[in-house]
Amino acid sequence: MSDQRLKLLLISEASFAGIYIAFTRGLIFVYLVSIGNGVDGISLVVGVVAMVTTAVHILLYKKPSFLVNRVKEKFTFFHGLERILWIFIPLTNDTILIIIIFSVINSLPTGSFMNLVTYGSLSEDEIKDVTSKRFAAFGVSTLIGFALAMFLVALLPPDTKYFYIFLFGALIGLMSTISVFLMKMSKVEGMQMPKGIEQPDRVFSTSSFLK
């Protein structure tokens, strides 16, 4: 019964995350262009963020014990923090400050915790089932989110539209954080992590969009 509840909450998290992604990550480069960044500015953002993110995940790979202590508290905190930080991006036109905030957002180990809880709490068949349903829910909600986001970009006043869109996206994202908070994670608390991980991409993925 508890596994079934966890599966439902994982699917719920992905459903809200799709809209959140569309309203935030989906529009970050559009926002950068709107404040005057060209190809060079966007390339700088992508390059710096990628380097910072990679460095943080290498550290996690070297010290995976960070992930298995106080799992629920850390997962919920990082999951919620990632969403809250998006609110601050449209409050500035400073590309360097945006790079700093965006780097923090991308380096938070939200995806690693999500993979840890999924792969550490469920059986192989349950993982296949919940993963397929998460991707389906995420895909549908992302399409809905992008449609709504484009509508709001066209409808709202130019000077405030990105603030309200990112704010709405963050609030929707926090709904998925509630799903995380309600998850039972006792199976992965204190889990022994092997020194050599055969499939590190499962836990230490740096590109997971299901955050």
Side-chain angles (χ1 to χ4, degrees):
M1 185 68 176
S2 59
D3 286 349
Q4 185 63 30
R5 182 171 181 267
L6 175 60
K7 288 165 63 178
L8 290 173
L9 289 170
L10 285 167
I11 296 166
S12 170
E13 192 277 341
S15 299
F16 288 115
I19 299 176
Y20 151 72
I21 291 293
F23 274 69
T24 53
R25 294 179 186 274
L27 291 180
I28 180 63
F29 297 115
V30 177
Y31 176 66
L32 287 169
V33 171
S34 76
I35 60 176
N37 283 281
V39 174
D40 290 343
I42 292 175
S43 297
L44 177 64
V45 172
V46 172
V48 173
V49 170
M51 287 189 293
V52 172
T53 303
T54 300
V56 170
H57 283 270
I58 288 173
L59 290 174
L60 280 176
Y61 180 68
K62 295 292 186 181
K63 193 176 181 181
S65 58
F66 174 81
L67 295 172
V68 295
N69 295 311
R70 300 180 66 188
V71 177
K72 186 165 186 172
E73 292 90 337
K74 290 177 182 177
F75 188 11
T76 304
F77 172 75
F78 288 128
H79 197 279
L81 178 62
E82 177 190 314
R83 283 135 179 82
I84 291 170
L85 287 175
W86 281 105
I87 298 171
F88 297 96
I89 287 183
L91 296 178
T92 180
N93 292 338
D94 187 331
T95 302
I96 300 302
L97 186 54
I98 291 173
I99 288 174
I100 293 171
I101 299 172
F102 196 29
S103 294
V104 174
I105 289 171
N106 278 274
S107 62
L108 294 175
T110 311
S112 297
F113 277 110
M114 180 62 71
N115 292 336
L116 174 70
V117 170
T118 302
Y119 288 99
S121 302
L122 301 173
S123 67
E124 184 175 351
D125 287 341
E126 288 174 325
I127 290 169
K128 291 177 181 178
D129 179 57
V130 77
T131 300
S132 63
K133 289 176 180 176
R134 272 174 58 79
F135 271 102
F138 179 78
V140 171
S141 63
T142 300
L143 289 174
I144 294 172
F146 272 117
L148 288 173
M150 292 301 101
F151 175 75
L152 292 174
V153 166
L155 180 69
L156 295 175
D159 55 336
T160 59
K161 62 184 175 184
Y162 288 105
F163 170 73
Y164 287 114
I165 291 171
F166 277 60
L167 175 62
F168 182 71
L171 293 175
I172 292 293
L174 287 171
M175 296 295 291
S176 64
T177 302
I178 293 175
S179 295
V180 170
F181 176 75
L182 294 173
M183 292 177 190
K184 186 176 180 181
M185 306 178 195
S186 56
K187 288 185 179 180
V188 295
E189 183 64 41
M191 175 185 288
Q192 292 296 315
M193 300 290 282
K195 291 182 179 180
I197 300 175
E198 294 181 358
Q199 293 177 293
D201 55 297
R202 284 186 169 184
V203 177
F204 300 101
S205 173
T206 62
S207 59
S208 174
F209 264 33
L210 297 185
K211 291 184 173 183

